[in-house]
Amino acid sequence: PGRRLEYRPPSAGNSGMGSAILYEVRADGVCIVTLNRPHRHNALTMAMQSEYFEALHQAEADANVTVIVVTGAGRAFCVGADMDLLTSITAGSGGDTGSDTEAVWRQQKALEQAQLVALTKPVIAAINGAAAGLGLVLALWCDLRFVSADAKLTFSFSKRGLVAEHGISWLLPRVVGASRALDLLLSSRVVQGTEAVALGLA
């Protein structure tokens, strides 16, 4: 039988990125990338997203890395975009600040996700808790997903009056099928870990 790999949280001080992203390469070739804002349930800022994709590309270039595991610090995987960032995007409707921030945000996301699909090493999401909105999108763009039984997943876009962003309307039907994708995107309902497995999300 194959050797079982057990995930252990990164040890203190192991980081090649900023403090919002922990990066660790282990002797067995597993690279652990940890979203590290537990006080905000790992909500994403623009800087944090850049560090995240930088970490993935660093792992891709490292000959000692054979597989990449993405997880969240604390009780959540990632609850989506930081509310302060969302406020800065929407508050300036009709003003330059909001529109400029939104343009930068969308341009950055399109470029980074285009690069993500070009990675040659498998990327695995270890969904240890809540994953919502953009946080669940990050998990869906991984090659494989493992989810804890008590994790809660939701796309949440429709409840905010948003379209299914960041390519998820293309990707999700290919993961779970068209009908299930419509159910999840239109309702924005919360799916727990056991149902996520039954639906094919994990």
Side-chain angles (χ1 to χ4, degrees):
R3 181 163 57 96
R4 181 180 179 184
L5 298 180
E6 181 178 355
Y7 174 69
R8 303 180 302 277
S11 56
N14 279 334
S15 175
M17 305 290 121
S19 60
I21 297 292
L22 299 181
Y23 180 95
E24 180 182 5
V25 179
R26 299 184 176 170
D28 56 8
V30 178
C31 175
I32 307 293
V33 177
T34 305
L35 309 174
N36 188 42
R37 295 183 74 212
H39 60 293
R40 298 296 294 267
H41 302 295
N42 304 317
L44 293 164
T45 65
M46 291 180 70
M48 185 178 177
Q49 288 183 81
S50 294
E51 291 173 10
Y52 170 72
F53 286 102
E54 179 186 342
L56 295 184
H57 288 293
Q58 180 172 324
E60 171 77 5
D62 188 342
N64 294 315
V65 172
T66 57
V67 62
I68 304 164
V69 176
V70 179
T71 192
R75 298 171 57 189
F77 178 77
C78 176
V79 296
D82 188 275
M83 290 304 298
D84 291 341
L85 174 59
L86 292 177
T87 299
S88 71
I89 290 175
T90 59
S93 55
D96 292 338
T97 302
S99 58
D100 289 349
T101 302
E102 183 175 8
V104 171
W105 165 269
R106 293 186 184 280
Q107 183 178 25
Q108 174 178 307
K109 287 306 304 169
L111 176 61
E112 288 168 343
Q113 286 171 351
Q115 294 171 340
L116 181 57
V117 297
L119 296 178
T120 61
K121 296 176 181 178
V123 183
I124 300 172
I127 305 173
N128 55 306
L134 185 54
L136 187 49
V137 170
L138 288 186
L140 261 290
W141 278 106
C142 294
D143 299 300
L144 293 171
R145 289 157 297 282
F146 293 89
V147 60
S148 63
D150 58 351
K152 295 181 179 180
L153 288 63
T154 177
F155 287 98
S156 71
F157 295 119
S158 65
K159 289 187 176 179
R160 297 186 178 277
L162 300 172
V163 298
E165 297 183 302
H166 312 298
I168 204 65
S169 60
W170 178 88
L171 178 62
L172 186 60
R174 288 162 173 79
V175 174
V176 301
S179 295
R180 288 175 172 174
L182 284 170
D183 168 30
L184 295 170
L185 292 175
L186 294 177
S187 70
S188 288
R189 66 186 181 89
V190 175
V191 174
Q192 294 197 326
T194 51
E195 185 183 3
V197 173
L199 290 173
L201 281 172

